[in-house]
Amino acid sequence: MYIFPGKIIDYIVSFTALYIMMLFIVIYIFNMNQISDKKTKTKWRPKISVVIPAYNEEKNIAKCIQSLLDSNYPKNKLEIIVVDDGSKDNTYAIAKKYKKYGVRVFRKKNEGTAAITKNYGIKKATGELIATLDADSYILKDTIIKLLPLFDSKKVVAVTPAIKVSEPENFLENLQKVEYVLTLFSRKLLNFLDAVFVTPGPFSLFRADLFKKIGYFDEKNILEDQELALRIQKHNLKINSSMEAEVFTNVPENFVSLVKQRIRWHRGGLINTINHIYIINPKYGDFGLFIMPISLIAVVAIFAIILNVSYNIIFNSQFSESLFLDNLALVFQPVHFVGIVLFILTLVFTIHQLNFFKKDNINPVWAIIFIICYAYLITFYWILAIGKQIKGDRISW
Amino acid sequence: MVKRKLSVKIYLVALILTIIVFMIGVYVGGIANITASEGLLEKMEDYYTKSNLFEIMLLSGESPSFCPLYLEELENLETKTIKLGEELDYLETVKGVYDENLKKNYFLLELKSYLLFEKVNSLCKTDKTIILYFYSKDCPDCILQGKELDLISEQMKGKIRIYSFDGSISSSAVESIKERYNITNYPSLVINGNKEEGLKNKNEINNIINKG
């Protein structure tokens, strides 16, 4: 049997995609009983400092600060630090009004990255735990209390909450709402492998001594929340993820700003992965063997598919498959079967995951739209991200 | 520090499940190929019967006054045969299924179609160009020749009919037509009855057609 090169790529790509899907399903099946947060309560009430970096956030900052003031965490154990990063709007003036509630407000000149602003606040913080909270996000009353039990051992240096989309209205926001909850689910699955690879910017809670031990946020990094997580992994420390302690964040509401955000994520993620490439090593367990390579595999796969499609267009153009659609047996190939299985598995697994987020009232139709759009969107993001990287454009926020 | 572990069990279970799905896919793909081959064979037999009926019609009438009918019937058969050829080609090149029996049957059908064409052509005087193309599986120039012929057939759409025969297949149908034109080398073309050996590009073929 003669197999032409395009076919081999088809097989490798479909096998890899199916294998990764299967891995997540198997991780889920093996840990089915531990998906929901443990119902353990802790009496531990350490002093917590929440650092809010803010740049031009006059619309959101009040809601953000107010959510912390409304928290049921003991007031005397909660320190709120707002760092205005040289905003051109009224952010600083609004934040200053909260000084009377004990909020500490600082102002510095803008120096480019959010990492610098976060580090500035962290260095002022006096808590035993330090959280960073984006100014366009807010927490619920019980978010902090729900997160504390996740520090269930000394090794745990960071916990991540359930970050969800705040008040989705349009198509893109609803799509991102689905994406965010599904991300929570896969992050929880990765948690079982000690392989969480990001401490999300909107809200993450760290042990204060972590920064002294492994360093602060990388001030030159555009994806500093992911870089820090990689460094935590490098030091064999642990990140735990909650699916129930909710934090809400604003997401890009139009396509242009969404694409801009994702280019930053993908490009930053790729650069960070390459900078920490040494982690791809069985010495780092599942994290080194599976999670780190996965993003690189995704890039390679996307470009393999593009290569393959162009190859088929150039060398097999004499066949228009539509000519044979009356003869399905002739057109059918094993990869089609794999594709169908992959689609059904994705659909069933996704709908099943949404059962864990009943209170978010996600319409299954959105989930289906998400599954169908997502592959195209992520390919699009990757192409733009790599294109910009090759062109050497400056990375912007 | 977290003690790093490798969840070998998870990787293995996922790998086994993936392989199972793949094997099922390959199995179903195999069944599809067999079904497709059988379907093609059935179609060939059907067309062959139809061409036999046409032949009887042609031989019993053999009068130019029936030409419109002959031409219509021939056109009909030809269209079907050409589509069949493309399907067979697809099965072979894209899906990697090489079925010699299927090809022998196809060449027989093609030969039959060619002979009927010749007959109708002499009776009804159409201005169609006929090219016989002899190739072989392992001839390096044949791929190029095939591409040149594709270009010609695209350019002269409706005014040309190309019959291709794999000379390396031992089938009595192919042998007999090879003998008729004394074909020994590949690629070889027979353009309107004249043999041309070796690779001919689009322009060369055009010149030969216009001369003849």
Side-chain angles (χ1 to χ4, degrees):
Chain A
M1 191 166 137
Y2 166 72
I3 297 178
F4 62 86
K7 217 163 165 182
I8 297 172
I9 296 177
D10 277 350
Y11 277 77
I12 294 174
V13 169
S14 60
F15 189 91
T16 313
L18 185 65
Y19 183 58
I20 291 171
M21 182 72 202
M22 285 293 186
L23 271 174
F24 277 96
I25 293 175
V26 175
I27 297 169
Y28 170 66
I29 292 170
F30 278 29
N31 296 285
M32 232 161 169
N33 306 324
Q34 307 170 52
I35 293 286
S36 306
D37 290 6
K38 289 188 202 114
K39 291 287 165 266
T40 47
K41 289 212 167 87
T42 168
K43 291 218 169 75
W44 184 46
R45 294 289 178 267
K47 184 174 180 193
I48 298 177
S49 304
V50 181
V51 174
I52 307 170
Y55 177 70
N56 291 351
E57 294 285 1
E58 61 180 7
K59 285 193 195 115
N60 304 310
I61 189 79
K63 191 171 185 178
C64 173
I65 298 172
Q66 194 59 49
S67 77
L68 288 166
L69 294 174
D70 293 342
S71 165
N72 62 5
Y73 201 73
K75 296 276 171 296
N76 57 342
K77 294 282 177 76
L78 193 61
E79 178 186 46
I80 303 169
I81 298 170
V82 178
V83 184
D84 177 65
D85 191 19
S87 295
K88 296 188 182 88
D89 64 2
N90 284 323
T91 308
Y92 181 66
I94 297 168
K96 249 187 358 193
K97 286 183 199 155
Y98 287 88
K99 271 188 168 167
K100 58 175 179 263
Y101 300 105
V103 176
R104 299 172 67 195
V105 184
F106 299 92
R107 184 172 210 186
K108 62 184 267 301
K109 71 173 199 311
N110 190 296
E111 290 162 289
T113 65
I116 300 175
T117 319
K118 285 181 184 176
N119 286 345
Y120 183 96
I122 290 168
K123 284 168 189 165
K124 304 274 181 205
T126 60
E128 191 181 332
L129 299 180
I130 299 175
T132 57
L133 172 63
D134 278 354
D136 63 351
S137 309
Y138 58 91
I139 67 165
L140 297 187
K141 252 180 153 50
D142 56 359
T143 305
I144 295 176
I145 297 263
K146 275 185 175 171
L147 279 173
L148 289 178
L150 277 85
F151 283 101
D152 55 5
S153 87
K154 272 267 164 254
K155 294 172 219 160
V156 181
V157 295
V159 301
T160 72
I163 293 163
K164 296 181 178 176
V165 174
S166 160
E167 291 151 29
E169 279 161 13
N170 65 26
F171 178 84
L172 278 178
E173 288 168 332
N174 273 296
L175 218 54
Q176 290 176 83
K177 179 179 172 177
V178 183
E179 182 188 14
Y180 273 60
V181 299
L182 294 178
T183 305
L184 290 180
F185 195 88
S186 38
R187 192 179 297 143
K188 188 74 197 179
L189 293 183
L190 292 183
N191 201 166
F192 295 119
L193 302 186
D194 289 336
V196 176
F197 59 89
V198 61
T199 46
F203 188 92
S204 288
L205 189 53
F206 307 92
R207 287 192 197 273
D209 55 4
L210 171 72
F211 298 103
K212 296 210 172 66
K213 244 189 278 176
I214 73 165
Y216 291 77
F217 285 106
D218 175 5
E219 302 199 336
K220 291 195 181 69
N221 210 289
I222 49 156
L223 204 62
E224 78 289 342
D225 47 354
Q226 192 227 20
E227 197 278 337
L228 183 69
L230 292 184
R231 233 178 318 133
I232 291 173
Q233 292 288 359
K234 170 190 166 186
H235 286 83
N236 292 315
L237 297 167
K238 191 166 169 155
I239 304 167
N240 272 344
S241 291
S242 164
M243 290 223 302
E244 281 150 42
E246 291 167 299
V247 172
F248 290 86
T249 189
N250 284 340
V251 295
E253 53 183 14
N254 62 54
F255 195 61
V256 174
S257 45
L258 178 65
V259 169
K260 214 173 143 194
Q261 178 197 49
R262 295 312 163 99
I263 289 177
R264 182 171 73 82
W265 288 8
H266 283 81
R267 220 177 142 181
L270 191 64
I271 295 170
N272 287 339
T273 305
I274 290 168
N275 285 341
H276 292 279
I277 197 101
Y278 57 86
I279 295 181
I280 301 185
N281 184 332
K283 190 175 93 177
Y284 290 99
D286 295 319
F287 187 71
L289 199 70
F290 169 45
I291 297 310
M292 278 294 277
I294 238 179
S295 59
L296 294 178
I297 290 172
V299 183
V300 174
I302 283 166
F303 284 89
I305 291 169
I306 294 169
L307 200 77
N308 196 16
V309 169
S310 7
Y311 177 91
N312 280 332
I313 288 171
I314 296 166
F315 293 102
N316 290 313
S317 53
Q318 77 261 39
F319 298 114
S320 57
E321 304 216 340
S322 59
L323 213 86
F324 308 129
L325 278 185
D326 55 339
N327 192 348
L328 279 183
L330 183 67
V331 183
F332 184 85
Q333 293 188 39
V335 284
H336 296 143
F337 181 81
V338 175
I340 293 165
V341 171
L342 194 57
F343 183 74
I344 293 172
L345 280 180
T346 311
L347 200 65
V348 172
F349 195 39
T350 305
I351 305 271
H352 181 71
Q353 288 176 33
L354 293 183
N355 283 337
F356 289 88
F357 302 98
K358 282 212 177 83
K359 69 172 173 185
D360 293 290
N361 282 322
I362 291 172
N363 189 334
V365 176
W366 278 109
I368 293 167
I369 296 173
F370 172 77
I371 292 171
I372 294 168
C373 296
Y374 195 63
Y376 296 103
L377 280 177
I378 204 153
T379 310
F380 180 66
Y381 299 149
W382 269 121
I383 292 171
L384 287 181
I386 303 266
K388 292 228 172 211
Q389 184 62 29
I390 291 168
K391 244 179 87 189
D393 285 1
R394 238 186 98 251
I395 299 173
S396 60
W397 275 81
Chain B
M1 294 229 295
V2 179
K3 205 173 166 295
R4 291 292 184 180
K5 59 177 197 301
L6 283 175
S7 314
V8 178
K9 215 165 117 189
I10 288 174
Y11 298 125
L12 278 183
V13 173
L15 185 66
I16 291 166
L17 289 174
T18 310
I19 290 174
I20 290 173
V21 172
F22 243 77
M23 302 268 264
I24 298 174
V26 170
Y27 180 73
V28 176
I31 290 179
N33 286 351
I34 293 169
T35 314
S37 304
E38 280 171 353
L40 290 187
L41 196 61
E42 237 167 69
K43 268 193 208 166
M44 283 178 199
E45 277 159 7
D46 179 37
Y47 297 169
Y48 199 76
T49 316
K50 286 206 173 98
S51 68
N52 278 343
L53 286 172
F54 178 53
E55 190 181 14
I56 292 168
M57 192 169 102
L58 195 63
L59 291 176
S60 55
E62 211 160 332
S63 145
S65 57
F66 290 129
C67 269
L69 183 65
Y70 293 156
L71 286 170
E72 193 197 322
E73 193 67 18
L74 186 71
E75 177 75 33
N76 200 355
L77 256 173
E78 287 281 279
T79 318
K80 285 177 171 169
T81 313
I82 291 168
K83 167 109 192 295
L84 199 64
E86 281 171 351
E87 288 180 329
L88 194 64
D89 201 14
Y90 185 83
L91 194 66
E92 195 180 321
T93 50
V94 177
K95 308 202 60 191
V97 179
Y98 187 81
D99 185 335
E100 196 160 310
N101 181 39
L102 210 54
K103 294 195 81 172
K104 278 185 188 171
N105 273 291
Y106 176 68
F107 293 138
L108 187 64
L109 185 65
E110 223 183 6
L111 186 58
K112 177 104 197 190
S113 173
Y114 164 62
L115 294 174
L116 289 171
F117 195 108
E118 234 181 7
K119 187 97 190 151
V120 173
N121 220 13
S122 66
L123 198 67
C124 306
K125 301 276 175 286
T126 69
D127 55 352
K128 263 195 188 170
T129 302
I130 306 176
I131 296 183
L132 301 183
Y133 168 41
F134 294 89
Y135 64 95
S136 125
K137 238 195 304 180
D138 34 62
C139 114
D141 281 347
C142 290
I143 299 164
L144 291 171
Q145 186 64 79
K147 291 219 186 309
E148 292 297 321
L149 287 172
D150 282 343
L151 293 175
I152 287 274
S153 97
E154 190 61 36
Q155 178 197 330
M156 298 181 63
K157 224 172 187 168
K159 286 191 181 151
I160 192 167
R161 173 68 169 108
I162 299 166
Y163 299 92
S164 23
F165 297 97
D166 184 344
S168 52
I169 279 188
S170 57
S171 114
S172 43
V174 179
E175 287 304 322
S176 65
I177 189 77
K178 263 167 69 183
E179 216 155 278
R180 182 167 162 187
Y181 292 104
N182 192 20
I183 303 294
T184 46
N185 297 322
Y186 306 105
S188 281
L189 299 173
V190 176
I191 302 172
N192 290 331
N194 304 313
K195 186 170 88 168
E196 302 287 342
E197 282 188 337
L199 178 63
K200 295 275 174 295
N201 69 25
K202 196 179 91 177
N203 296 334
E204 287 172 298
I205 297 172
N206 261 329
N207 286 340
I208 296 165
I209 293 171
N210 293 336
K211 248 198 290 173

